Amino acid sequence: MTSLPESIRSLILDEHARRPELFAAVDLAAYLVKLADKAEILSDSFAGRCRGVVAFYCNDQATKQAFITLVLVDPRDRGMGIGRALVACVLDLAARRGFTSCRLEVAQRNETARALYQSMGFRMVEVRAHTHLLEIGL
């Protein structure tokens, strides 16, 4: 079992403490282990501090569909384009690997994130109980 770098783990735990409703349906300890063991992670760090992170899966060779499971930017660094840049890196990487689409879920109440994803070209695929499933072609 691997573990997440402490700066990324701290960013996630801090966000959980600030906004536990975003992780309400998730066993956080198990999710952190799953991220460390199975997800690919890109981050933006400066002076030893993680400013943003994106975790994704690029492993479904049958459907050629990538999945972004987490996009998180430190509140001190929001509005600087870090989230957009991290998501764009994932989309570019997935396309270069031959994937044809990418999906993600966003909380219905997270209008800022949903607007960001839609401005990047993601479209609504499904409305779920508390989330929207979005997709973009690559």
Side-chain angles (χ1 to χ4, degrees):
M1 175 175 16
T2 58
S3 63
L4 293 170
E6 186 54 38
S7 61
I8 292 173
R9 183 177 163 72
S10 292
L11 182 64
I12 295 169
L13 292 174
D14 289 349
E15 186 70 6
H16 178 261
R18 273 189 300 278
R19 300 178 63 197
E21 71 277 5
L22 295 180
F23 299 88
V26 175
D27 174 340
L28 188 59
Y31 184 61
L32 292 172
V33 169
K34 183 179 179 185
L35 289 178
D37 287 346
K38 307 240 186 248
E40 293 185 66
I41 297 175
L42 297 175
S43 65
D44 176 292
S45 296
F46 182 76
R49 183 175 66 82
C50 182
R51 300 188 312 167
V53 63
V54 61
F56 64 100
Y57 302 101
C58 233
N59 56 8
D60 191 340
Q61 295 297 324
T63 66
K64 295 292 188 184
Q65 186 170 81
F67 188 83
I68 295 173
T69 186
L70 176 69
V71 178
L72 183 55
V73 176
D74 187 302
R76 297 171 287 184
D77 302 298
R78 291 182 183 158
M80 297 173 54
I82 294 170
R84 179 182 295 276
L86 289 169
V87 170
C89 285
V90 170
L91 299 179
D92 179 63
L93 179 64
R96 286 189 284 127
R97 290 181 182 176
F99 284 74
T100 57
S101 66
C102 182
R103 286 185 169 190
L104 58 79
E105 274 188 276
V106 62
Q108 287 182 8
R109 298 193 315 185
N110 195 342
E111 295 175 20
T112 303
R114 195 171 64 246
L116 166 67
Y117 303 137
Q118 289 176 327
S119 77
M120 295 181 76
F122 282 86
R123 61 180 176 74
M124 183 91 59
V125 174
E126 182 181 332
V127 175
R128 297 182 174 172
H130 301 287
T131 64
H132 291 155
L133 180 63
L134 306 177
E135 180 178 77
I136 189 170
L138 303 177

